[in-house]
Amino acid sequence: DAGITQSPRHKVTETGTPVTLRCHQTENHRYMYWYRQDPGHGLRLIHYSYGVKDTDKGEVSDGYSVSRSKTEDFLLTLESATSSQTSVYFCAISERDTNNQPQHFGDGTRLSIL
Amino acid sequence: RKEVEQDPGPFNVPEGATVAFNCTYSNSASQSFFWYRQDCRKEPKLLMSVYSSGNEDGRFTAQLNRASQYISLLIRDSKLSDSATYLCVVNPAGNNRKLIWGLGTSLAVNP
């Protein structure tokens, strides 16, 4: 299995609080991605990174920010969590960002915003 | 028409059966395709890429039909451990930032 660790695995917090999710990889892959998965929706890309300090928005980036200060770490921050951000969050990595380069996923973080 | 469509199932089959899923896509320029499996409350795991010529990995066979814009997954000799949700993924743009994920097809293999 790809060396991807997400933390925390589960979190329950209140509306309005800041939340940071961490993705750590040991594969030295350049590309990292944050997704959310919700019932009735396929996986949706929140943000991605194509290198240290290089990030860009995905399909559902509103309310989220990211940072990548080291190749191995990609952080996702909810500055002021809302109930609509209750979801399962997956981090993914890929070696290249071209055709036929599959992504590999971490175990996920289950986040509940009350 | 949705960008990627899958029959949600569930498909209930006995052990040893052969089962096939299709996934249709709307963008005729789509360039790469994948099947992932996802177990309940787990992360998606790559099952196989889908090549134009079709490809086989053990009991699993994937096919691409560009003319009709669908990909298929055939599972032979189903095992209990094949019970999962199978996600179709389409890459319309040539980079991983634009992957389109299907909602998945649920498979239950029964003893």
Side-chain angles (χ1 to χ4, degrees), chain B residues 6 11 13 17-18 22 31 33 35 37 44 64 70 92-93 100 109:
Chain B
Q6 297 183 250
F11 285 64
V13 302
T18 295
N22 282 346
Q31 300 184 36
F33 310 85
W35 283 105
R37 69 168 282 166
L64 167 63
Y70 73 87
I100 308 297
V109 181

Side-chain angles (χ1 to χ4, degrees), chain A residues 9-82:
Chain A
R9 295 293 312 280
H10 303 270
K11 187 171 182 67
V12 180
T13 191
E14 294 183 348
T15 300
T17 60
V19 177
T20 295
L21 309 183
R22 181 182 183 234
C23 178
H24 178 79
Q25 58 137 335
T26 58
E27 305 296 318
N28 201 35
H29 283 355
R30 178 178 174 186
Y31 297 92
M32 299 185 75
Y33 312 82
W34 276 107
Y35 286 92
R36 60 179 291 173
Q37 187 174 35
D38 305 286
H41 294 274
L43 281 161
R44 292 182 291 175
L45 183 65
I46 305 171
H47 281 280
Y48 64 93
S49 171
Y50 47 99
V52 173
K53 292 185 168 45
D54 292 323
T55 65
D56 207 346
K57 297 178 180 180
E59 178 190 359
V60 289
S61 59
D62 287 350
Y64 302 94
S65 63
V66 289
S67 65
R68 190 160 177 209
S69 57
K70 298 185 288 185
T71 298
E72 56 266 36
D73 289 326
F74 192 30
L75 304 181
L76 177 70
T77 297
L78 292 65
E79 300 289 348
S80 178
T82 67

Side-chain angles (χ1 to χ4, degrees), chain A residues 37 48 97 99 103 106, chain B residues 31 36 38 43 96-97 103:
Chain A
Q37 187 174 35
Y48 64 93
D97 191 36
N99 269 331
Q103 296 175 346
Chain B
Q31 300 184 36
Y36 280 73
Q38 186 173 26
E43 76 277 20
N96 282 340
R97 288 157 270 165
L103 296 182

Side-chain angles (χ1 to χ4, degrees), chain A residues 33 37 41-43 45 48 90 94 97-103 105-107 110, chain B residues 31-32 34 36 38 41-46 91 94-97 99 101-103:
Chain A
Y33 312 82
Q37 187 174 35
H41 294 274
L43 281 161
L45 183 65
Y48 64 93
F90 288 105
S94 68
D97 191 36
T98 55
N99 269 331
N100 288 323
Q101 276 295 305
Q103 296 175 346
F105 287 80
D107 292 345
R110 296 187 172 274
Chain B
Q31 300 184 36
S32 57
F34 306 94
Y36 280 73
Q38 186 173 26
R41 301 177 73 82
K42 299 285 191 181
E43 76 277 20
K45 290 187 176 179
L46 178 68
N91 187 340
N95 63 67
N96 282 340
R97 288 157 270 165
L99 293 181
W101 292 76
L103 296 182

Side-chain angles (χ1 to χ4, degrees), chain B residues 59-72:
Chain B
R59 297 181 294 107
F60 298 85
T61 300
Q63 297 273 343
L64 167 63
N65 186 317
R66 284 196 182 274
S68 300
Q69 293 181 210
Y70 73 87
I71 64 171
S72 63

